[in-house]
Amino acid sequence: MARDKRARLTGRRGTPDPGHERFAKLPEQVCESEAYAWNTDWSRCVLIALLVGATESNNGLLSLTASEARTRGVKDQWKLYAGLRILCITGLIACTRHGRLERGGKLCSLYGVTWRAILPNEKFDTDFDGCGAVPSNAYLKWRPPSRKEWRSIVQRIANTSRGRKKSCPNHDGAH
C-alpha cells in the first residue's frame, strides 16, 4: 500500500522531514553574471519561482503554472510569460518542451537551468538538443545588446505578453 505525499514528507511525529525541504538555490556565479544583471526585476522573480521546484534530479523537467507562480510571488500572468521568454533569451534557462494540447489534454512547458546538467528525458521535445552531462552555461555566453535595443526587446516582450501589439516588428526575440 502506497503512502500518501504527506506521510512521505513528514516524520513519525508528523513534523516535516528536513531532507524534503524545497528552496531556490541560485549560485553566486549566476547572480554576478551579465545575463542575470540585465534581467528585469520581475523576470528574476520568475527565475526564483521556477527554482523552488528544482531538485538534484529534475533539471529540465521544471514547470511553473500560473497558479503556482501566483503563490510564489509572480502576481501577473503576463510577467510570468514575459519573464520566461527573457530568461530563455539571456540563456539562464532552456525550454526543453513547449506547452501544447496533445491527445485531448494539456502539456505544460518544461524548463531547465543552464548552470546545471540537463539529462535526456522522453518528455523533452524531439528538437531539444541541450542535453548532456556537462552544463551548457549558456548564460555565460550571452552578450547584451545596446541598452536602447535591450529596452526595446523587453518592452516588446512585455507588450505581447499583455496582449498588446508588437512595438518592434523587426525583432522577433524568440528563443
Side-chain angles (χ1 to χ4, degrees):
M1 186 165 140
R3 294 172 21 165
D4 68 0
K5 184 178 179 181
R6 188 173 55 195
R8 285 192 312 267
L9 296 177
T10 59
R12 194 175 71 198
R13 295 186 180 147
T15 58
D17 179 8
H20 288 88
E21 183 178 19
R22 287 190 159 187
F23 57 92
K25 186 176 180 180
L26 191 58
E28 185 177 1
Q29 181 184 10
V30 174
C31 293
E32 293 174 348
S33 70
E34 274 189 306
Y36 186 82
W38 279 65
N39 267 273
T40 62
D41 293 341
W42 41 267
S43 63
R44 286 189 217 126
C45 185
V46 170
L47 177 62
I48 292 168
L50 184 67
L51 286 174
V52 170
T55 64
E56 290 293 322
S57 60
N58 71 347
N59 193 30
L61 299 171
L62 303 175
S63 66
L64 187 61
T65 64
S67 60
E68 288 173 334
R70 267 192 306 279
T71 62
R72 295 177 186 171
V74 183
K75 302 299 181 193
D76 297 320
Q77 195 170 357
W78 74 266
K79 288 182 179 179
L80 169 63
Y81 298 128
L84 289 169
R85 288 206 52 205
I86 291 171
L87 291 167
C88 284
I89 289 169
T90 56
L92 288 166
I93 65 172
C95 183
T96 57
R97 180 179 75 192
H98 294 281
R100 61 184 175 267
L101 295 175
E102 189 174 281
R103 296 186 203 135
K106 294 179 183 179
L107 289 178
C108 62
S109 294
L110 297 177
Y111 300 92
V113 295
T114 61
W115 62 86
R116 298 181 68 196
I118 299 176
L119 300 176
N121 191 295
E122 70 277 352
K123 293 181 179 180
F124 297 168
D125 284 339
T126 54
D127 62 345
F128 177 71
D129 60 354
C131 295
V134 178
S136 71
N137 289 320
Y139 71 97
L140 293 174
K141 300 167 190 153
W142 182 76
R143 293 294 167 245
S146 70
R147 290 226 181 253
K148 184 177 179 181
E149 185 180 354
W150 182 244
R151 271 186 249 130
S152 173
I153 293 168
V154 170
Q155 187 64 47
R156 186 192 50 75
I157 290 171
N159 285 344
T160 55
S161 296
R162 287 184 190 120
R164 296 180 183 161
K165 290 184 179 180
K166 295 180 183 179
S167 61
C168 181
N170 299 356
H171 192 291
D172 180 29
H175 49 278

